[in-house]
Amino acid sequence: MDRRLAWVLAAAVGGLAGGLSYTVGAPDPSLTAGVVLSYGAVVVLSARHPDTVYQEGVGRVGFRYGFWSAAATAFLLLVALLGVGPWVPVDAGLRVSLGLFVLGAGYAMWLFGVSYARAKGDGGA
């Protein structure tokens, strides 16, 4: 994907997630900025490493890749849904914003780890 398009998509997706967090969730500027940055990073890193999202031309994903991808997704969902569950004594809007933030930040950190491992494997780090 073209770098410019990736940055435009990152701004659009980050802005959409931040707008959702601000209007539906908690109207807190610092939390909204965290949501915007995390979802923007997810889009940019996914564009840089598209095989973390899909594998083009491959009929079946290998077990190791599929297992770790599924484990990371399951862990992020578990943390976001249970960590900020309905039993936590916070406002429902703040719960939505924190859930969005945890999902975006967790997925972005997973992609940063993929980027680091690949750079280190290439002798870049």
Side-chain angles (χ1 to χ4, degrees):
M1 177 183 292
D2 181 33
R3 271 190 144 159
R4 192 173 312 168
L5 177 61
W7 284 103
V8 169
L9 284 174
V13 170
L16 184 66
L20 180 70
S21 172
Y22 194 83
T23 57
V24 175
D28 182 56
S30 61
L31 184 57
T32 301
V35 170
V36 169
L37 289 174
S38 62
Y39 281 89
V42 165
V43 171
V44 169
L45 292 170
S46 295
R48 180 172 284 191
H49 303 286
D51 62 327
T52 58
V53 180
Y54 66 93
Q55 286 196 333
E56 194 172 318
V58 176
R60 188 164 175 250
V61 178
F63 174 76
R64 283 181 30 181
Y65 176 78
F67 172 78
W68 289 112
S69 180
T73 302
F75 179 75
L76 289 175
L77 286 173
L78 184 73
V79 168
L81 295 177
L82 293 180
V84 194
W87 48 85
V88 178
V90 296
D91 182 45
L94 181 60
R95 186 176 296 119
V96 168
S97 292
L98 287 173
L100 282 171
F101 178 69
V102 167
L103 283 174
Y107 193 54
M109 290 310 299
W110 180 63
L111 288 169
F112 275 118
V114 168
S115 299
Y116 173 74
R118 288 184 178 171
K120 189 172 183 176
D122 293 340

